[in-house]
Amino acid sequence: MRQFCGCLVFILLAIVVGMFTVENSVPLALEVWPFGSVYEVWASVWVLGLLALGIMLGLIIGWLGGTGWRHRARRAERRLRKLENQLAKRETDASRANAVLPPAPSSHGPVKQTTLIED
């Protein structure tokens, strides 16, 4: 269901962007300050290009903002792996120790054995 909704939203946005591109095919001249020259391109190219640039900058900022969390997650994974290895080693050592030693005596004292005498 989630993939269906995602595809539906993508298709609707693609239709809207396509209609925007077709409707805004008039050349637009913009002067970009640091370069000092005039660029003449379709209005849809300017808008979609600046939109793509904003999305890329937002993704980069989000990725850089998550570096601390990713570092903590990797460190936690390493610690978890180390602790699991230690636990497995202790379980292996305990099973070896139990296999070598005889079973521990009962804590209830000596066991009384009754014999049945037949006459």
Side-chain angles (χ1 to χ4, degrees):
M1 182 67 180
R2 185 175 177 168
Q3 283 183 329
F4 174 74
C5 290
C7 287
L8 183 66
V9 168
F10 176 76
I11 290 171
L12 290 174
L13 284 175
I15 290 171
V16 169
V17 168
M19 288 173 47
F20 176 79
T21 304
V22 169
E23 292 295 322
N24 291 302
S25 59
V26 177
L28 180 66
L30 290 178
E31 181 179 351
V32 182
W33 168 71
F35 303 116
S37 60
V38 176
Y39 296 101
E40 189 171 326
V41 184
W42 293 337
S44 60
V45 172
W46 281 114
V47 172
L48 293 176
L50 292 174
L51 176 68
L53 181 66
I55 289 172
M56 292 302 292
L57 285 174
L59 288 173
I60 290 170
I61 289 170
W63 182 73
L64 290 174
T67 55
W69 291 105
R70 286 191 301 274
H71 176 69
R72 289 182 65 189
R74 281 192 298 270
R75 190 172 56 210
E77 282 287 330
R78 283 192 302 268
R79 181 156 170 78
L80 176 66
R81 214 172 298 119
K82 180 181 174 184
L83 292 173
E84 284 176 342
N85 289 337
Q86 287 177 355
L87 181 62
K89 184 179 177 185
R90 286 186 184 179
E91 287 176 352
T92 305
D93 292 344
S95 66
R96 285 184 193 159
N98 288 339
V100 173
L101 298 176
S106 168
S107 64
H108 301 295
V111 177
K112 296 181 183 179
Q113 294 182 351
T114 57
T115 57
L116 203 56
I117 301 174
E118 292 185 20
D119 289 320

